[in-house]
Amino acid sequence: MPVSAHLVRAGTLLCALLLWGAGLTPAGAAPLVAPQAVPAEAVQVAPDGALRLAPNAPPAPAVFGAYTHWGTLTAAPQSLAVFRALRVAYTADVPANAALLVDVRASADGLRWTPWQTELPNGAEVEFGTAARYAQYRVTLLGGASPVVHAVSLAPVARPARYAAFEEAAPVAPTFTVRGTRQGMVGGRTANGHRIQKRDRFVALPCTCVLSSKGGNEYMVRITYKGHSVVVPVYDVGPWNTKDNYWDPQEQRRFSDLRQGWPQDHAAFFDRHNDGRDASGRRVRFPTAIDVGDGIWWDEFGIKGDRAELEVTFLWMGRDPHEAPPAPAPEAAPEAVPAPAP
């Protein structure tokens, strides 16, 4: 069975909703394109639709741990009846010393997506802040002996209707100043399967929840250094943590004791958060909350050395502040008043 057929049968999962107006594209960035089924990375689809690691699957990227083999598959988006919440269900066999990660997201228009809801257990219910129409799922298989995924499905879950007195204006994407580092690692493999090239142009952020598909641009950032800025996609996870969504409001953060925009590794280094260690227990020797590809670091910014302070704008969260505001609609000409009859 072809991959696309399996994805439809499995019921391609959730997807997130637009937080700002359709059609906005960050200045200098490629236009957003609706994500399709991504060619499977080291995942085979059996005639019965089951997913398993290919025999020659490569070792896992560092973010996933020291697994002998790794593969990932992102389903094609599926159009659903309008939903606010979904129940995720799947059947799988996972051997000892192996792992299966199932992530889902949702979208109102099939172009702009919510962050991934990651590592969901079977039967999980995922709620979104507003109504969505499209859903998509991603599976990651890890291990020596392969996990086998037999089916993935979702079902809308009823939630009370929500009403707004007025339609809110499109929010502006937040910008935070953080310390960053040069990516390097030419020849290595990123968390989405991209093979790092010389002078590559992408970034790593410390959460799989905003990992773009291989070759995709669903999640992008604008990086600004000394007045010059560039828009690039998120292709990898790191540098220190893997579940630190520091750009989100404090109540939505994994580290809910830290303010929005203050990365956990920065708090560890400057404030002795977690006794000066990251979430995995490593002592933070220097703060860095974004890795930047060499092509941006050297060619765009001309940075000397491997560390710098950068302004980062998280573009999936709203309108690019560097965008020109939309032109006002032209006013209609006043209607001519007919002359009175003689």
Side-chain angles (χ1 to χ4, degrees):
M1 180 182 297
V3 171
S4 58
H6 171 269
L7 300 182
V8 172
R9 192 180 80 98
T12 327
L13 287 159
L14 323 116
C15 288
L17 138 86
L18 269 203
L19 295 179
W20 61 102
L24 296 179
T25 300
L32 288 170
V33 176
Q36 303 301 314
V38 176
E41 289 287 321
V43 172
Q44 291 183 331
V45 183
D48 64 356
L51 305 177
R52 54 171 48 84
L53 285 167
N56 61 346
V63 64
F64 296 112
Y67 287 99
T68 308
H69 300 295
W70 161 88
T72 186
L73 182 147
T74 301
Q78 181 179 353
S79 176
L80 302 172
V82 175
F83 62 90
R84 292 181 179 274
L86 293 172
R87 179 178 294 110
V88 182
Y90 51 90
T91 56
D93 299 320
V94 183
N97 301 317
L100 169 66
L101 308 179
V102 178
D103 311 325
V104 298
R105 62 182 179 179
S107 173
D109 66 351
L111 292 176
R112 301 181 185 274
W113 296 82
T114 58
W116 291 99
Q117 300 276 352
T118 61
E119 301 182 25
L120 297 171
N122 182 30
E125 291 187 5
V126 185
E127 187 166 349
F128 299 93
T130 186
R133 293 189 59 91
Y134 298 90
Q136 190 171 33
Y137 74 85
R138 175 176 68 189
V139 294
T140 302
L141 286 67
L142 302 158
S146 175
V148 180
V149 182
H150 299 288
V152 182
S153 65
L154 64 87
V157 178
R159 289 290 187 270
R162 296 181 181 180
Y163 300 94
F166 56 89
E167 184 175 350
E168 295 183 0
V172 175
T175 298
F176 300 106
T177 299
V178 300
R179 300 194 180 200
T181 41
R182 182 177 67 85
Q183 174 82 31
M185 299 177 64
V186 173
R189 191 184 298 272
T190 67
N192 72 354
H194 171 74
R195 184 70 73 177
I196 301 175
Q197 308 297 312
K198 291 182 179 179
R199 300 184 119 78
D200 222 333
R201 298 170 63 86
F202 68 89
V203 300
L205 289 177
C207 188
T208 56
C209 59
V210 291
L211 182 65
S212 291
S213 58
K214 183 180 178 182
N217 64 355
E218 307 97 292
Y219 306 103
M220 295 187 289
V221 296
R222 178 179 290 280
I223 315 170
T224 303
Y225 177 73
K226 294 186 175 179
H228 180 64
S229 70
V230 62
V231 174
V232 288
V234 183
Y235 275 10
D236 206 3
V237 179
W240 286 103
N241 290 304
T242 62
K243 296 179 181 178
D244 183 14
N245 54 328
Y246 64 84
W247 44 84
D248 281 331
Q250 184 169 353
E251 66 274 12
Q252 298 175 18
R253 287 191 60 173
R254 175 67 175 259
F255 295 97
S256 58
D257 57 331
L258 298 176
R259 70 179 186 273
Q260 182 181 17
W262 188 233
Q264 191 277 333
D265 70 282
H266 286 46
F269 185 83
F270 292 109
D271 305 329
R272 302 294 298 169
H273 184 270
N274 195 34
D275 193 32
R277 301 177 184 275
D278 72 358
S280 63
R282 298 175 298 176
R283 185 165 297 282
V284 177
R285 302 184 306 278
F286 53 88
T288 171
I290 184 171
D291 262 345
V292 180
D294 293 353
I296 304 163
W297 196 266
W298 288 332
D299 301 334
E300 293 284 349
F301 296 153
I303 300 175
K304 306 298 182 184
D306 292 336
R307 305 176 198 170
E309 191 170 89
L310 308 167
E311 293 178 8
V312 183
T313 304
F314 302 88
L315 295 175
W316 62 88
M317 297 180 68
R319 179 166 48 85
D320 187 347
H322 287 248
E323 269 186 342
E331 293 186 9
E335 295 184 9
V337 178

